[in-house]
Amino acid sequence: MKTENSTCQTVQPLVPLCLRHAILGMVAGTLALSLTLGSALAQSSDPIRVGAVAPKTGALAGGAAVTFWPNIALWEQEVNADGGLLMEDGTRRPVQIIEYDDRTDPSETIRSVQRLANNDNADFIIAPYGTGLALAAAPIFDRLGYPMINVSAITDQVDTMTSRYDGVFFTLGETTPLAQGIAEQMVELRDAGEVGNRVAMVNVADAFGIELAQAAGVIFEQNGFDVVYNRSYPPTIQDVSPVMSSVIDANPDVFVAFSYPPDTFALTEAAQIQDLQVDAFYTAVATPFPSYRERFGDSINGVFGVGGVNPDSERFIEYEQAHIEVAGQGPDYWASAVTYASLEVLAQAIEGVGAPDRDAVTEYIKNNPFDTVMGEWVFEDQRINNYWTVGQWQDGKFHGIRATGDLEGAVEPIRKEGW
Amino acid sequence: MTRKEVIYAVLVLAAFAVLAFIPSLPNSAAVLSLVIPITMYTVLATSWALFSGPTHYISLATAAFYGVGAYMMAPALEVMPYWMVLPIAALSGALLAALVGAMTLRLSGVYFVIFTLGLAEMVRQVITWYQNNFAGTRGNYVFVDINDAQIYWQLLALALLVYLVGWLINRSRLGFAIRIIGNDELVARHSGINTARAKILLFMVSGAFAAVVGAVMTPRFVYIEPAMAFNPEVSFLVVIMALLGGVHRLWGPLVGAIPFALTWEVIASNFPAQTVLLMGIAFLLVVYYIPSGVAGIMEKVYFRARQQRREVSHG
C-alpha cells in the first residue's frame, strides 16, 4: 500500500486548481447546452426523422465520402425542396437527417442504430455503408423493426440474410454474378475473335477480391481460357510495378484485376507506364469513379470495370447535375446512383403508405414497383435481381454493358486501342 | 482466505449477480448495446493489466489475440458446437502468446511495443494469405442464434473469471515473481527466478482471455472481415482504458472502462462528426490531470478520509 501512496505524492499540480475547475466547468457547460439544444430542436417541428450511420473516420471513410454522404444530402434537399413527403391526409412532412459516424467499427454501427431508434426516435434508418458494417447491423434493424435497404453490402449470403431478416433488402448485386459478368463477357469476346485466349488475373487479398477471383477463375477455366498468371497482392500494397512486370512477362491477351480503390488507380498507372498491351483491361472497384477519369483522361477509353449505369438516360443526367450542384463532385457510375435509388424507394414507399409506418413500408417495398434513377425496380425475394455487372469507359462516360437481367441502355463493348 | 477476503468475494459475487439481471430491464436492448462494449473492454483491459501492469511491458497485441479468436469462430462452427469453440480459442490465444512471448519478451521497452503493434497486422496477413490460397472466403459468416443478452452473460462470466484468475495469480509464486521482475528484472534473475518463463506464462493468460473475448463477440457481427477483426484501435483503447483506470489494482481497468465508455457515449451522441477529435482532447486531459488513474484518485481519497478519521478519534 505504501507504493500507491508514493505514486500519488509524486503528482504535482502544474496548473492552479481554480483554473482547472474553470476548464472542467466550461466543458460540462458546453455538453449540457448541446444536450438541451438537441432536445429543444427535436420538439419544435414535425419532420420525418431519418437516421444515417456510416463512416466519417476510419478505413471506409473515403468510400463513404464519395458514395454515401453526398447522396443523403442530395436526397434531403430534393425531398424538402418539394415541401416534403406527401402524407395520407394531404399534408407534406419534410425529412430531417440525423447523422452518426461509426468510425468503421461494427460495434459502433450497432450502437448508433440503437441510439437512433431509442434516443432520437428516428422514423427510418438508412442502411449503413460497407459490407461488414451493414451485415453487422442487420440483426438490430430486424429486432427494432426498421426496414433496411442495403446498397454497399455485397455478399453471397443474400439468401441466408433475407430468410432470417424479414425487412432486409439488397440492391447492388451479389459477389458471384459480378465476377461471372466479366468472365462471361471475355468468353463472348474471345468467341467473336475480339480478344485472345491468354488471361492474367490478379486480386486484392481481402474477402471481396478473393471471392470474385475464385468465381471468375472457374469460368475462365471451364471455357478453355489459358490462365497464364494468377496472383493476389496484399490490400496495403504500396508499389504494384513488380506485379505489373510479372503480368507483362506472362504475355496475356486479357488482364483482369479484382481490385480496391487505391490499387485500381495504381494498377492502371503501372499498366500505362510499363506499357501493358492487352486486348481487354479490367479493374474493379473505383473504376467507375469520376476521379478515375480525371486522373487518366482519354487513355482509359475501352477500360472495363465493375458495375455501371445508363449514363444517357434522362433520369441519370438529371441526377448527375443535381449531385454536382449539391456535393461539388459528380456521382460515381455505379453505387452512387444505386444509393440514391434506394432512398427514392424509401421516399416512394412512405408516400405510398401515406404515413411513417415502418411495418407497412416494409410490406409496400416488397409488393410494389419503384421508379428510380436506375430504372424500374421490383424487389423479388427482398432483392433487386437486375443489376449491372460490367461496364466500360466509352468517350468519357462509364456505360453499363452487361447486366444480370434486361437493363435498358446496355451498349456494345468497344475495342481497346493501346494507352 | 482471511475474513476480509471472504467479505470481498461475497460482495463481488453479489455485484455480478445484480449485473446479470440487466437484460431483464425494460428497454434492455438499448442498455445492452452500451454495456456490452463496456464489459468487453473491462475484460480486455483487466487481462491486459494482468501482464502489463506488473511487468511494465506495454503490449499492443490485444487486437492480434482478439482477431484470432474472432476469426476462428466461423470455420470452427462448421465442425463443432459453439461451446467447444471457446476453449479452443483460449488455447489458440495462449499458443500465439507463447510463441510471440518466447521470441520477444527478451526484448525490452520500445522494441516490445513496436513488435506487438506489428503482430496484429502480421497475423492478419497470414490468415488472409491462407484464405486466399486454400480456404476461399467460406467461413466468414457466423449465423448462430446467440442474442445480445447471451453475449453479455458470457462476457460477464469472463469478467468474473479474469478477476478470479488475477486474484489467484497475485497470491501465487508466479505473481510474486512477476512483481519482482517488474521492480528490477536483474535482481529477479539473480534471485533465481526464471524471468522468461514467468513473463511468457502471464502473457499467455492475457492472450487467452483476449482470444475468447474475440470469439464471444463474433456472433454479434454476422460477418467477419480481417480489417474489423484485427482493428488496431482495439489495442489502443485497451491500453488507454487500463491506464485511465490504473494498472496497479485488479479493479483499476474497470473504473477506467466505465467512465471512458460513458464519456465516449456522451461525445458520440452529441458531436457525431467530431468524436475522435474530442476523445483525443478528453484523453489528453486525463493524462494531464490524473496520471495515476482513477484507481489512484479513489485510493488517495480513501486514505485521506481514513487518516482524518484516525486523527479525529485520536485527537
Side-chain angles (χ1 to χ4, degrees):
Chain A
M1 286 196 185
K2 269 179 189 157
T3 47
E4 285 90 55
N5 252 345
S6 62
T7 47
C8 296
Q9 279 155 7
T10 57
V11 185
Q12 295 295 327
L14 294 173
V15 180
L17 204 60
C18 52
L19 180 59
R20 281 200 249 169
H21 283 167
I23 293 175
L24 282 179
M26 267 155 59
V27 172
T30 319
L31 284 180
L33 186 68
S34 66
L35 283 169
T36 37
L37 270 183
S39 47
L41 278 177
Q43 285 157 4
S44 62
S45 57
D46 188 29
I48 292 179
R49 301 162 68 78
V50 180
V53 185
K56 292 184 181 212
T57 53
L60 293 181
V66 172
T67 305
F68 187 84
W69 293 113
N71 283 300
I72 308 294
L74 174 61
W75 181 69
E76 182 187 24
Q77 184 177 315
E78 300 264 295
V79 168
N80 291 346
D82 294 344
L85 296 173
L86 186 62
M87 297 290 105
E88 209 171 17
D89 57 9
T91 59
R92 283 185 178 274
R93 290 179 65 183
V95 293
Q96 179 196 349
I97 304 288
I98 308 160
E99 297 181 2
Y100 281 112
D101 172 18
D102 62 20
R103 309 194 316 275
T104 322
D105 170 359
S107 270
E108 193 57 29
T109 313
I110 295 172
R111 177 76 198 123
S112 300
V113 171
Q114 281 282 4
R115 211 180 273 140
L116 281 167
N118 292 301
N119 305 359
D120 299 313
N121 297 318
D123 294 299
F124 294 93
I125 303 175
I126 295 161
Y129 175 85
T131 302
L133 302 174
L135 296 187
I140 199 79
F141 269 80
D142 180 61
R143 197 169 320 136
L144 297 169
Y146 282 78
M148 181 190 201
I149 312 168
N150 283 295
V151 180
S152 308
I154 303 176
T155 162
D156 269 349
Q157 301 292 314
V158 170
D159 284 335
T160 321
M161 295 295 291
T162 51
S163 64
R164 285 176 78 96
Y165 308 122
D166 193 44
V168 173
F169 301 89
F170 290 89
T171 57
L172 194 61
E174 295 171 45
T175 329
T176 307
L178 289 175
Q180 284 167 342
I182 180 61
E184 282 162 4
Q185 186 69 51
M186 290 306 119
V187 172
E188 259 178 37
L189 287 175
R190 183 204 53 191
D191 294 348
E194 294 280 323
V195 304
N197 202 35
R198 296 165 64 83
V199 57
M201 270 174 48
V202 299
N203 70 280
V204 56
D206 222 324
F208 173 81
I210 298 170
E211 221 165 291
L212 265 73
Q214 282 182 339
V218 170
I219 296 176
F220 280 130
E221 272 170 25
Q222 276 171 356
N223 286 281
F225 265 96
D226 187 6
V227 180
V228 293
Y229 186 79
N230 187 2
R231 288 286 160 79
S232 68
Y233 55 84
T236 47
I237 192 163
Q238 296 292 326
D239 179 13
V240 297
S241 53
V243 175
M244 193 48 70
S245 300
S246 311
V247 168
I248 291 172
D249 288 344
N251 192 25
D253 302 314
V254 173
F255 175 77
V256 175
F258 295 108
S259 51
Y260 267 161
D263 27 295
T264 295
F265 283 86
L267 284 166
T268 308
E269 190 163 21
Q272 298 190 353
I273 291 171
Q274 295 170 254
D275 198 26
L276 171 71
Q277 290 295 341
V278 283
D279 302 329
F281 183 90
Y282 171 94
T283 45
V285 182
T287 313
F289 281 14
S291 51
Y292 189 79
R293 177 186 57 204
E294 276 153 32
R295 171 89 164 266
F296 299 111
D298 293 337
S299 66
I300 53 168
N301 210 30
V303 164
F304 291 101
V306 69
V309 292
N310 175 8
D312 294 332
S313 81
E314 229 169 82
R315 288 293 310 275
F316 186 82
I317 293 168
E318 225 173 83
Y319 162 71
E320 193 176 25
Q321 282 305 326
H323 192 288
I324 292 170
E325 272 165 35
V326 170
Q329 67 192 35
D332 74 55
Y333 290 95
W334 184 36
S336 275
V338 179
T339 303
Y340 192 75
S342 77
L343 298 169
E344 291 180 298
V345 167
L346 180 62
Q348 288 168 27
I350 295 171
E351 289 195 327
V353 171
D357 174 343
R358 289 190 282 275
D359 289 340
V361 164
T362 302
E363 280 311 303
Y364 190 94
I365 295 172
K366 285 182 182 172
N367 298 317
N368 290 279
F370 294 91
D371 174 33
T372 76
V373 62
M374 294 301 290
E376 191 191 63
W377 267 10
V378 178
F379 285 89
E380 289 166 37
D381 297 330
Q382 295 166 240
R383 76 198 77 177
I384 296 297
N385 280 322
N386 293 350
Y387 52 88
W388 296 102
T389 57
V390 186
Q392 189 181 38
W393 281 103
Q394 296 185 1
D395 301 323
K397 284 181 194 164
F398 192 78
H399 288 264
I401 56 169
R402 199 177 181 88
T404 47
D406 270 337
L407 280 183
E408 207 177 306
V411 298
E412 284 299 311
I414 57 168
R415 219 184 131 78
K416 172 156 183 38
E417 305 288 350
W419 290 105
Chain B
M1 282 213 295
T2 63
R3 222 184 95 200
K4 206 169 150 196
E5 278 173 331
V6 174
I7 295 173
Y8 278 151
V10 170
L11 283 178
V12 167
L13 282 176
F16 273 90
V18 171
L19 287 174
F21 281 99
I22 284 186
S24 36
L25 288 176
N27 201 3
S28 68
V31 182
L32 277 181
S33 76
L34 182 62
V35 293
I36 285 179
I38 292 181
T39 321
M40 175 188 112
Y41 276 111
T42 302
V43 178
L44 287 177
T46 310
S47 66
W48 178 88
L50 281 185
F51 170 75
S52 293
T55 59
H56 309 303
Y57 279 89
I58 302 290
S59 157
L60 290 174
T62 312
F65 300 126
Y66 177 93
V68 164
Y71 230 95
M72 67 182 308
M73 180 55 86
L77 272 182
E78 284 172 13
V79 288
M80 61 181 83
Y82 176 81
W83 297 107
M84 269 176 71
V85 185
L86 300 185
I88 291 179
L91 212 64
S92 319
L95 264 177
L96 180 66
L99 208 70
V100 174
M103 283 191 292
T104 61
L105 283 174
R106 285 163 224 275
L107 301 174
S108 59
V110 73
Y111 301 103
F112 179 77
V113 180
I114 297 296
F115 184 89
T116 53
L117 177 61
L119 181 69
E121 187 61 21
M122 190 188 82
V123 175
R124 170 183 156 179
Q125 294 299 344
V126 169
I127 287 184
T128 310
W129 171 83
Y130 173 80
Q131 273 200 315
N132 200 27
N133 293 292
F134 305 106
T137 53
R138 299 275 169 254
N140 277 340
Y141 294 89
V142 178
F143 291 110
V144 283
D145 286 309
I146 293 180
N147 59 31
D148 273 7
Q150 288 159 324
I151 289 172
Y152 169 68
W153 283 323
Q154 291 178 65
L155 289 172
L156 212 55
L158 272 177
L160 196 58
L161 191 64
V162 80
Y163 285 126
L164 182 68
V165 169
W167 178 72
L168 286 175
I169 287 177
N170 263 339
R171 41 187 283 141
S172 70
R173 285 168 59 89
L174 178 63
F176 187 52
I178 217 79
R179 279 195 295 277
I180 299 175
I181 293 172
N183 283 329
D184 194 326
E185 192 159 345
L186 204 62
V187 169
R189 216 174 300 150
H190 282 282
S191 329
I193 294 172
N194 186 343
T195 55
R197 181 177 153 274
K199 284 190 287 185
I200 292 172
L201 272 176
L202 215 56
F203 196 45
M204 285 169 70
V205 172
S206 179
F209 271 107
V212 178
V213 171
V216 166
M217 290 297 284
T218 309
R220 202 162 180 241
F221 301 140
V222 182
Y223 174 72
I224 296 302
E225 263 178 343
M228 290 177 187
F230 297 98
N231 183 357
E233 196 181 274
V234 171
S235 301
F236 286 103
L237 287 181
V238 163
V239 176
I240 291 171
M241 286 183 204
L243 293 182
L244 168 62
V247 291
H248 58 284
R249 287 275 167 229
L250 194 52
W251 47 269
L254 173 71
V255 293
I258 292 173
F260 189 90
L262 293 178
T263 314
W264 192 297
E265 177 64 22
V266 170
I267 292 178
S269 47
N270 288 291
F271 307 97
Q274 292 91 23
T275 317
V276 182
L277 174 74
L278 289 172
M279 214 53 218
I281 294 174
F283 184 55
L284 284 179
L285 290 175
V286 162
V287 174
Y288 189 61
Y289 289 113
I290 42 174
S292 56
V294 176
I297 291 188
M298 286 167 73
E299 280 177 342
K300 204 162 139 188
V301 170
Y302 173 72
F303 283 127
R304 200 177 291 158
R306 205 167 64 170
Q307 222 167 357
Q308 273 170 1
R309 214 168 23 195
R310 243 184 238 154
E311 277 161 17
V312 169
S313 60
H314 290 292

